[in-house]
């Protein structure tokens, strides 16, 4: 339906009625004004905190399509999340971090903080805050995103 038609067909009669109330030559109106039609809801476009460059392959949130990470920031595809396979990334965007807590994971004790999509608030994975074993120190400051929460976006064949 055309927005101009909605405005013309539904809003013009109430506006004309209001105009006749303001006119000094109009007869006085008795009774309530006609009810205004239901407002047309126009959805606003999604805005993300950060947009990744269109020329790179990227990963996005599977639930709201917010950009999450460039393929260039992928470190490893051989990780296990709490709900299945997961990828390890150097850096991510459009995510928020919860409080850090100690968890025993498959590779030992780590201090991790859950991460969530800033747009739709879905929990995506976690950030490694601290690794307690020397062989796991390379994970500190890195991010796990579970595959079931992300999609490949832009430039994939």
């Amino acid at each position: 339906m055309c927005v101009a038609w909605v405005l013309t067909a539904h809003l013009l009669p109430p506006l004309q009625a209001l105009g006749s109330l303001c006119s000094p030559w109009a007869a006085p109106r008795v009774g309530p004004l006609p009810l205004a039609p239901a407002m047309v809801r126009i959805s606003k476009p999604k805005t993300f905190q950060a947009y990744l460059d269109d020329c790179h392959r990227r990963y996005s949130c599977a639930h709201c399509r917010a950009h999450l990470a460039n393929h260039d920031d992928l470190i490893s595809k051989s990780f296990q999340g709490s709900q299945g396979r997961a990828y390890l990334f150097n850096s991510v965007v459009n995510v928020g971090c919860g409080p850090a807590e100690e968890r025993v994971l498959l590779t030992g004790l780590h201090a991790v903080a859950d991460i969530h999509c800033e747009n739709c608030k879905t929990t995506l994975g976690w950030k490694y805050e601290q690794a307690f074993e020397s062989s796991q120190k390379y994970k500190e400051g890195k991010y796990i995103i579970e595959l079931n929460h992300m999609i490949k976006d832009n430039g994939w064949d």
Side-chain angles (χ1 to χ4, degrees):
M1 180 187 310
C2 178
V3 175
W5 181 85
V6 171
L7 292 175
T8 305
H10 295 291
L11 295 181
L12 194 53
L15 292 176
Q16 288 171 341
L18 288 174
S20 66
L21 289 176
C22 298
S23 171
W25 299 281
R29 183 172 177 88
V30 178
L33 287 174
L35 293 175
M39 295 299 292
V40 177
R41 179 173 285 187
I42 300 172
S43 63
K44 69 178 189 176
K46 292 181 180 176
T47 54
F48 308 131
Q49 291 180 349
Y51 287 88
L52 298 175
D53 194 5
D54 282 342
C55 66
H56 290 97
R57 294 180 295 170
R58 64 177 172 249
Y59 298 91
S60 297
C61 176
H63 310 284
C64 70
R65 301 293 293 260
H67 297 176
L68 295 176
N70 273 327
H71 182 66
D72 297 341
D73 288 318
L74 177 65
I75 298 171
S76 175
K77 294 182 178 182
S78 60
F79 274 74
Q80 186 67 31
S82 60
Q83 300 173 357
R85 290 185 50 214
Y87 289 179
L88 180 69
F89 289 95
N90 231 349
S91 64
V92 295
V93 296
N94 297 318
V95 299
C97 244
E101 59 185 30
E102 291 183 1
R103 291 187 197 155
V104 178
L105 302 175
L106 293 174
T107 55
L109 181 65
H110 299 298
V112 298
D114 285 337
I115 60 171
H116 62 272
C117 174
E118 278 292 329
N119 191 53
C120 68
K121 308 303 180 201
T122 301
T123 300
L124 302 170
W126 62 84
K127 177 182 181 185
Y128 286 102
E129 297 289 348
Q130 184 179 5
F132 295 104
E133 295 180 26
S134 58
S135 65
Q136 302 298 310
K137 291 287 187 187
Y138 75 96
K139 295 179 184 175
E140 290 182 342
K142 308 295 189 286
Y143 301 85
I144 287 287
I145 299 180
E146 296 180 352
L147 259 59
N148 60 343
H149 295 300
M150 67 178 171
I151 57 172
K152 293 177 176 179
D153 202 7
N154 195 48
W156 298 88
D157 292 340

